[in-house]
PDB file of all heavy atoms in Angstrom:
ATOM      1  N   LEU A 994     -13.305 -23.817   0.158  1.00 94.00           N
ATOM      2  CA  LEU A 994     -13.957 -25.128   0.216  1.00 94.00           C
ATOM      3  C   LEU A 994     -14.982 -25.187   1.345  1.00 94.00           C
ATOM      4  O   LEU A 994     -16.047 -25.793   1.196  1.00 94.00           O
ATOM      5  CB  LEU A 994     -12.916 -26.232   0.406  1.00 94.00           C
ATOM      6  CG  LEU A 994     -12.101 -26.624  -0.805  1.00 94.00           C
ATOM      7  CD1 LEU A 994     -11.073 -27.670  -0.407  1.00 94.00           C
ATOM      8  CD2 LEU A 994     -12.972 -27.133  -1.913  1.00 94.00           C
ATOM      9  N   VAL A1020     -20.403 -32.778   2.626  1.00 96.00           N
ATOM     10  CA  VAL A1020     -19.658 -33.427   3.702  1.00 96.00           C
ATOM     11  C   VAL A1020     -18.216 -33.696   3.272  1.00 96.00           C
ATOM     12  O   VAL A1020     -17.272 -33.460   4.032  1.00 96.00           O
ATOM     13  CB  VAL A1020     -20.360 -34.731   4.143  1.00 96.00           C
ATOM     14  CG1 VAL A1020     -19.477 -35.557   5.058  1.00 96.00           C
ATOM     15  CG2 VAL A1020     -21.678 -34.432   4.808  1.00 96.00           C
ATOM     16  N   LEU A1021     -18.049 -34.172   2.048  1.00 96.00           N
ATOM     17  CA  LEU A1021     -16.698 -34.457   1.562  1.00 96.00           C
ATOM     18  C   LEU A1021     -15.868 -33.179   1.421  1.00 96.00           C
ATOM     19  O   LEU A1021     -14.682 -33.159   1.775  1.00 96.00           O
ATOM     20  CB  LEU A1021     -16.771 -35.183   0.223  1.00 96.00           C
ATOM     21  CG  LEU A1021     -17.268 -36.623   0.288  1.00 96.00           C
ATOM     22  CD1 LEU A1021     -17.448 -37.187  -1.114  1.00 96.00           C
ATOM     23  CD2 LEU A1021     -16.318 -37.475   1.091  1.00 96.00           C
ATOM     24  N   LEU A1022     -16.489 -32.116   0.921  1.00 95.00           N
ATOM     25  CA  LEU A1022     -15.758 -30.856   0.803  1.00 95.00           C
ATOM     26  C   LEU A1022     -15.420 -30.283   2.175  1.00 95.00           C
ATOM     27  O   LEU A1022     -14.357 -29.683   2.361  1.00 95.00           O
ATOM     28  CB  LEU A1022     -16.562 -29.846  -0.008  1.00 95.00           C
ATOM     29  CG  LEU A1022     -16.574 -30.065  -1.511  1.00 95.00           C
ATOM     30  CD1 LEU A1022     -17.414 -28.994  -2.191  1.00 95.00           C
ATOM     31  CD2 LEU A1022     -15.182 -30.078  -2.073  1.00 95.00           C
ATOM     32  N   MET A1023     -16.322 -30.460   3.142  1.00 95.00           N
ATOM     33  CA  MET A1023     -16.053 -29.998   4.502  1.00 95.00           C
ATOM     34  C   MET A1023     -14.862 -30.752   5.088  1.00 95.00           C
ATOM     35  O   MET A1023     -13.972 -30.158   5.692  1.00 95.00           O
ATOM     36  CB  MET A1023     -17.292 -30.193   5.379  1.00 95.00           C
ATOM     37  CG  MET A1023     -17.108 -29.812   6.820  1.00 95.00           C
ATOM     38  SD  MET A1023     -17.221 -28.073   7.188  1.00 95.00           S
ATOM     39  CE  MET A1023     -18.900 -27.722   6.883  1.00 95.00           C
ATOM     40  N   SER A1024     -14.827 -32.063   4.895  1.00 95.00           N
ATOM     41  CA  SER A1024     -13.697 -32.843   5.402  1.00 95.00           C
ATOM     42  C   SER A1024     -12.397 -32.432   4.725  1.00 95.00           C
ATOM     43  O   SER A1024     -11.358 -32.331   5.367  1.00 95.00           O
ATOM     44  CB  SER A1024     -13.872 -34.340   5.159  1.00 95.00           C
ATOM     45  OG  SER A1024     -15.172 -34.731   5.151  1.00 95.00           O
ATOM     46  N   LEU A1025     -12.464 -32.205   3.421  1.00 93.00           N
ATOM     47  CA  LEU A1025     -11.272 -31.781   2.692  1.00 93.00           C
ATOM     48  C   LEU A1025     -10.807 -30.405   3.141  1.00 93.00           C
ATOM     49  O   LEU A1025      -9.601 -30.148   3.236  1.00 93.00           O
ATOM     50  CB  LEU A1025     -11.551 -31.779   1.189  1.00 93.00           C
ATOM     51  CG  LEU A1025     -10.376 -31.526   0.268  1.00 93.00           C
ATOM     52  CD1 LEU A1025      -9.332 -32.620   0.418  1.00 93.00           C
ATOM     53  CD2 LEU A1025     -10.859 -31.445  -1.159  1.00 93.00           C
ATOM     54  N   SER A1026     -11.748 -29.539   3.463  1.00 92.00           N
ATOM     55  CA  SER A1026     -11.360 -28.196   3.896  1.00 92.00           C
ATOM     56  C   SER A1026     -10.681 -28.217   5.263  1.00 92.00           C
ATOM     57  O   SER A1026      -9.888 -27.334   5.567  1.00 92.00           O
ATOM     58  CB  SER A1026     -12.573 -27.268   3.935  1.00 92.00           C
ATOM     59  OG  SER A1026     -13.414 -27.565   5.025  1.00 92.00           O
ATOM     60  N   PHE A1027     -10.967 -29.218   6.086  1.00 91.00           N
ATOM     61  CA  PHE A1027     -10.257 -29.341   7.363  1.00 91.00           C
ATOM     62  C   PHE A1027      -8.963 -30.136   7.218  1.00 91.00           C
ATOM     63  O   PHE A1027      -8.003 -29.913   7.943  1.00 91.00           O
ATOM     64  CB  PHE A1027     -11.148 -29.996   8.421  1.00 91.00           C
ATOM     65  CG  PHE A1027     -12.182 -29.072   8.969  1.00 91.00           C
ATOM     66  CD1 PHE A1027     -13.528 -29.286   8.728  1.00 91.00           C
ATOM     67  CD2 PHE A1027     -11.825 -27.971   9.728  1.00 91.00           C
ATOM     68  CE1 PHE A1027     -14.484 -28.424   9.228  1.00 91.00           C
ATOM     69  CE2 PHE A1027     -12.777 -27.106  10.235  1.00 91.00           C
ATOM     70  CZ  PHE A1027     -14.100 -27.340   9.975  1.00 91.00           C
ATOM     71  N   PHE A1028      -8.944 -31.077   6.275  1.00 90.00           N
ATOM     72  CA  PHE A1028      -7.756 -31.904   6.082  1.00 90.00           C
ATOM     73  C   PHE A1028      -6.623 -31.127   5.421  1.00 90.00           C
ATOM     74  O   PHE A1028      -5.461 -31.306   5.769  1.00 90.00           O
ATOM     75  CB  PHE A1028      -8.120 -33.126   5.234  1.00 90.00           C
ATOM     76  CG  PHE A1028      -6.938 -33.916   4.763  1.00 90.00           C
ATOM     77  CD1 PHE A1028      -6.264 -34.749   5.645  1.00 90.00           C
ATOM     78  CD2 PHE A1028      -6.487 -33.827   3.464  1.00 90.00           C
ATOM     79  CE1 PHE A1028      -5.171 -35.479   5.231  1.00 90.00           C
ATOM     80  CE2 PHE A1028      -5.400 -34.550   3.040  1.00 90.00           C
ATOM     81  CZ  PHE A1028      -4.737 -35.381   3.925  1.00 90.00           C
ATOM     82  N   LEU A1029      -6.961 -30.269   4.488  1.00 85.00           N
ATOM     83  CA  LEU A1029      -5.950 -29.559   3.713  1.00 85.00           C
ATOM     84  C   LEU A1029      -5.018 -28.709   4.582  1.00 85.00           C
ATOM     85  O   LEU A1029      -3.792 -28.853   4.487  1.00 85.00           O
ATOM     86  CB  LEU A1029      -6.620 -28.705   2.639  1.00 85.00           C
ATOM     87  CG  LEU A1029      -5.712 -27.988   1.669  1.00 85.00           C
ATOM     88  CD1 LEU A1029      -4.947 -28.996   0.837  1.00 85.00           C
ATOM     89  CD2 LEU A1029      -6.506 -27.066   0.789  1.00 85.00           C
ATOM     90  N   PRO A1030      -5.527 -27.849   5.462  1.00 83.00           N
ATOM     91  CA  PRO A1030      -4.583 -27.064   6.271  1.00 83.00           C
ATOM     92  C   PRO A1030      -3.787 -27.912   7.261  1.00 83.00           C
ATOM     93  O   PRO A1030      -2.627 -27.620   7.525  1.00 83.00           O
ATOM     94  CB  PRO A1030      -5.446 -26.054   7.014  1.00 83.00           C
ATOM     95  CG  PRO A1030      -6.828 -26.311   6.650  1.00 83.00           C
ATOM     96  CD  PRO A1030      -6.883 -27.416   5.676  1.00 83.00           C
TER      97      PRO A1030
END
Side-chain angles (χ1 to χ4, degrees):
L994 284 177
V1020 169
L1021 289 174
L1022 284 180
M1023 177 80 68
S1024 330
L1025 187 62
S1026 73
F1027 284 113
F1028 169 76
L1029 185 64

